[in-house]
Amino acid sequence: MLKLSRFLVKQIPRSEIKLSSTVAQAQPAPAWDLFAVVCLERPPVIVPPLSKMETDMLNLLKEKEFENSFMSDHEMRHMRDLERAQKKGKEPTDEVLDESAMITALDMEDKWKTEAETFTPASIPEVEADNKKSMLRCLDRPVRLCVNTKFGDNTYWGLPEAKRIDGESMRQTAERAVQETCGDRLNFKILGNAPLSFYKKKYPKKYQTESAVGAKFFIFKGYVINRDGALWQDVSLKLGENCVDYNWLTYEELLDRTEHKESRALYNMLHTDD
């Protein structure tokens, strides 16, 4: 049988023998649109209230510090005033008192109390915590900007974003995303040149094209800057044409409001407010 097969092969001309290639041609990789997303944060303005454990620890440290501390210069001066008063009542003295000795420590305390009563502390804007349009809500916690964007016939809540164009770096795209979304009323700064998180998603079938089947989103961190020098002033944003609404949200509210993939990406880059 083996001899027969060799004989048949010899009878076939070499020009008629065709070898099939086992190497498959490489398929072109699907194209993706690149988007820069900005997590724009207004940092805390005031210190949050202490918890019960922090208050107890603070009181304990104050007690230990008082037990181990020495008398201050003011307390030493008060003791000298008392000794001088006792000597003056018991026996006459020819000691000449200078002007500083004539003003006692108790006189200084009365003066300080009067000055403290005239002191007016800085006022804190009273904004309801439920007013999510205000940048001054929850001053003891950071809040982030979340916008309601229109895409086709639908709307969704997410961070400010913009599609990258040729010749533009991703940081420049991130800066343009905030400017196109919020207008020119907001002072901000993008942190660094590299994104802090990433996610991707495919477009619905009716929006997919040969040039792009989906989008890749690179999330940058940004901060709102107070350049006026005074206490923070509230800003009413001038939204872009595709933005329907906006909110300033806390950490938990932001994760609940955004879509699943974006929420997971934010969870990987942000820390809780506790």
Side-chain angles (χ1 to χ4, degrees), residues 13-270:
R14 288 179 176 272
S15 60
E16 297 183 5
I17 299 178
K18 297 182 179 179
L19 300 177
S20 61
S21 176
T22 58
V23 179
Q25 295 182 355
Q27 297 295 329
W32 297 78
D33 289 331
L34 301 181
F35 280 77
V37 185
V38 182
C39 180
L40 191 62
E41 178 180 309
R42 186 230 66 202
V45 180
I46 60 177
V47 179
L50 299 179
S51 63
K52 183 180 182 304
M53 183 177 66
E54 292 173 336
T55 303
D56 294 341
M57 187 65 185
L58 179 62
N59 294 334
L60 177 62
L61 293 176
K62 285 183 177 180
E63 292 178 3
K64 295 292 293 181
E65 183 180 6
F66 179 77
E67 293 174 359
N68 300 327
S69 63
F70 294 96
M71 284 189 173
S72 64
D73 292 341
H74 179 73
E75 292 172 324
M76 296 294 293
R77 179 178 180 179
H78 181 58
M79 291 184 62
R80 289 195 298 269
D81 292 340
L82 295 178
E83 293 175 358
R84 189 180 298 110
Q86 291 177 355
K87 290 181 180 180
K88 184 177 180 181
K90 292 182 178 179
E91 55 185 16
T93 178
D94 296 334
E95 180 183 1
V96 179
L97 300 178
D98 57 5
E99 185 178 356
S100 62
M102 295 176 63
I103 302 176
T104 64
L106 293 178
D107 294 334
M108 295 298 297
E109 292 181 7
D110 294 337
K111 178 183 177 182
W112 295 335
K113 289 179 181 179
T114 304
E115 293 177 352
E117 292 174 356
T118 59
F119 174 75
T120 303
S123 60
I124 299 176
E126 295 183 1
V127 178
E128 295 181 1
D130 295 335
N131 184 10
K132 297 179 180 179
K133 294 281 188 181
S134 175
M135 186 174 63
L136 300 182
R137 67 183 295 253
C138 303
L139 290 177
D140 58 340
R141 304 175 62 186
V143 291
R144 286 99 181 178
L145 179 63
C146 186
V147 294
N148 191 9
T149 307
K150 186 177 181 181
F151 184 79
D153 299 331
N154 302 319
T155 60
Y156 67 94
W157 284 94
L159 302 176
E161 62 185 39
K163 182 180 177 181
R164 179 185 174 274
I165 58 179
D166 292 338
E168 191 177 49
S169 67
M170 293 303 293
R171 163 146 185 171
Q172 291 172 336
T173 307
E175 293 174 346
R176 180 168 57 85
V178 179
Q179 293 170 354
E180 291 180 352
T181 303
C182 307
D184 56 356
R185 300 178 182 177
L186 200 63
N187 296 322
F188 68 95
K189 183 176 180 61
I190 301 297
L191 183 64
N193 296 320
L196 300 182
S197 191
F198 161 84
Y199 71 98
K200 65 179 180 179
K201 61 181 179 182
K202 285 190 174 183
Y203 294 143
K205 289 290 185 180
K206 61 180 180 179
Y207 295 117
Q208 290 185 8
T209 62
E210 294 181 357
S211 60
V213 297
K216 295 182 179 181
F217 299 86
F218 300 88
I219 305 180
F220 289 77
K221 186 72 174 291
Y223 287 98
V224 178
I225 300 176
N226 180 23
R227 293 178 177 171
D228 298 331
L231 190 63
W232 288 82
Q233 301 295 322
D234 208 353
V235 178
S236 179
L237 301 184
K238 184 180 179 181
L239 299 178
E241 58 177 338
N242 293 327
C243 297
V244 181
D245 197 4
Y246 73 94
N247 282 161
W248 291 94
L249 305 178
T250 61
Y251 173 80
E252 294 82 4
E253 294 170 344
L254 183 64
L255 295 186
D256 293 338
R257 185 70 63 87
T258 52
E259 296 181 345
H260 175 69
K261 290 186 176 181
E262 188 171 25
S263 177
R264 291 289 300 176
L266 289 171
Y267 177 82
N268 292 332
M269 65 175 282
L270 298 177

